[in-house]
Amino acid sequence: MTEFKRIAFIGLGQMGLPMAKNLVAGGFPVIGFDAYEQARVAAAGEGIEVVSSLNEAVEGADCIITMLPNGKIVQDAVLGGHAFLKANAGAVLLEMSSSAPTDTRVLSDKVSPHLRVVDAPVSGGVKRAVSGSLTIMAGGEAEALNQAMPVLDCLASGVFACGPVGAGHAMKSINNFVSGAGVIAAVEAVTLGTAFGLSADTIIDVLNASSGKNNATDVKMKQFVLSGTFASGFALGLMAKDIGIAAELANDLGLNLSGLKQTSTVWNEAAEAIGNGADHTRIYEFLAKSSV
């Protein structure tokens, strides 16, 4: 069990709420906060102790967890009014949002030495957040990561130490680039095959039994696309944002990665056409219209 005496969990949305619940169920001393009252009410209804201000949540915390839409919002929350100074000196900040690695390093510089930052973004979606079987990609100093491991182990089935601060967020953006490219490939495969006369179900069955299998063919196409439910629990705008982070990182590093650029462009165009809040599997509708 962790030695943490107070964990401030900031961001109680679709992912944050089940993650906070799992920590409470694991015996961790969680104090929750979300900027939206509706989210705070929902969390309280799930047995999480919530407070009405960020400063109150962070006060005296020896661990802060942020699960927010992006790194800019994290910086506004943590740095605004110097809220981070209300935490105990030497506290660990687990930045679990999908943020740009450069933003994470800026944040780490600004809160050091009062806080030690570990970026620990997740993969697995709402389903695995609920089951406590997320994959976590972590970046930070070994001592801080070791201190945070009991918390991370409670939330994940696998925790990967990726390198220094920012490495976790870099890895998350790379993962979602590959995931997003796989969705496009699966959707276009179905579009091509059905135009020829194959059944969509047959296409997916063969892909899943062959070398074309990927995450989209395995757990998204039949379940959320072909069924017409489009309810995977991950927003299209978030996928576009994460892939955009990878594209920006490549640009910063002077790399010309044409596949990444094209994938980012397609997801951005889909988000603009359908809306950021739509489920990301609805890119099927965008690509279907674009194919004719």
Side-chain angles (χ1 to χ4, degrees):
M1 177 58 66
T2 180
E3 296 179 359
F4 294 138
K5 294 180 172 59
R6 183 181 177 94
I7 298 175
F9 200 110
I10 313 302
L12 300 169
Q14 277 192 309
M15 292 291 290
L17 178 55
M19 291 166 67
K21 282 180 61 179
N22 283 335
L23 290 176
V24 171
F28 292 88
V30 174
I31 307 295
F33 172 73
D34 195 285
Y36 293 96
E37 182 180 3
Q38 185 176 0
R40 297 197 300 270
V41 171
E46 295 289 347
I48 298 169
E49 182 179 351
V50 297
V51 291
S52 58
S53 74
L54 186 144
N55 283 349
E56 189 178 355
V58 174
E59 183 79 42
D62 44 15
C63 178
I64 302 170
I65 297 174
T66 48
M67 192 66 182
L68 298 168
N70 59 58
K72 299 298 184 185
I73 294 175
V74 171
Q75 286 194 37
D76 288 344
V78 175
L79 301 176
H82 296 93
F84 71 95
L85 292 175
K86 296 185 179 297
N88 291 340
V92 174
L93 170 57
L94 288 175
E95 216 296 74
M96 305 191 76
S97 319
S98 290
S99 304
T102 50
D103 288 342
T104 305
R105 288 182 172 177
V106 168
L107 176 68
S108 181
D109 288 343
K110 289 185 176 181
V111 301
S112 178
H114 192 74
L115 300 182
R116 297 181 297 168
V117 173
V118 172
D119 52 310
V122 306
S123 179
V126 174
K127 182 177 180 180
R128 286 172 61 187
V130 171
S131 65
S133 58
L134 293 164
T135 296
I136 292 178
M137 298 142 272
E141 296 177 356
E143 183 181 351
L145 180 56
N146 288 339
Q147 186 178 357
M149 278 304 298
V151 170
L152 300 180
D153 283 338
C154 182
L155 301 172
S157 58
V159 180
F160 294 86
C162 298
V165 169
H169 281 139
M171 187 65 242
K172 171 64 184 289
S173 71
I174 293 168
N175 175 77
N176 274 16
F177 155 51
V178 174
S179 175
V183 172
I184 293 173
V187 167
E188 291 191 345
V190 168
T191 301
L192 176 61
T194 54
F196 180 77
L198 297 169
S199 79
D201 281 341
T202 296
I203 294 167
I204 298 303
D205 286 343
V206 172
L207 289 173
N208 282 335
S210 307
S211 59
K213 179 179 180 179
N214 65 23
N215 180 262
T217 64
D218 189 28
V219 301
K220 296 178 183 178
M221 290 301 294
K222 283 193 175 184
Q223 296 88 333
F224 305 118
V225 175
L226 301 187
S227 68
T229 58
F230 301 109
S232 73
F234 187 64
L236 196 156
L238 292 178
M239 180 68 88
K241 180 206 70 175
D242 288 350
I243 298 172
I245 290 172
E248 182 179 351
L249 180 61
N251 185 63
D252 290 344
L253 295 173
L255 299 175
N256 182 23
L257 303 179
S258 58
L260 173 53
K261 288 181 181 179
Q262 184 176 2
T263 301
S264 183
T265 296
V266 171
W267 280 98
N268 283 331
E269 290 176 348
E272 184 175 348
I274 302 174
N276 286 326
D279 192 89
H280 81 285
T281 55
R282 286 194 179 275
I283 196 174
Y284 174 83
E285 298 170 328
F286 171 77
L287 292 174
K289 290 180 181 179
S290 301
S291 67
V292 295

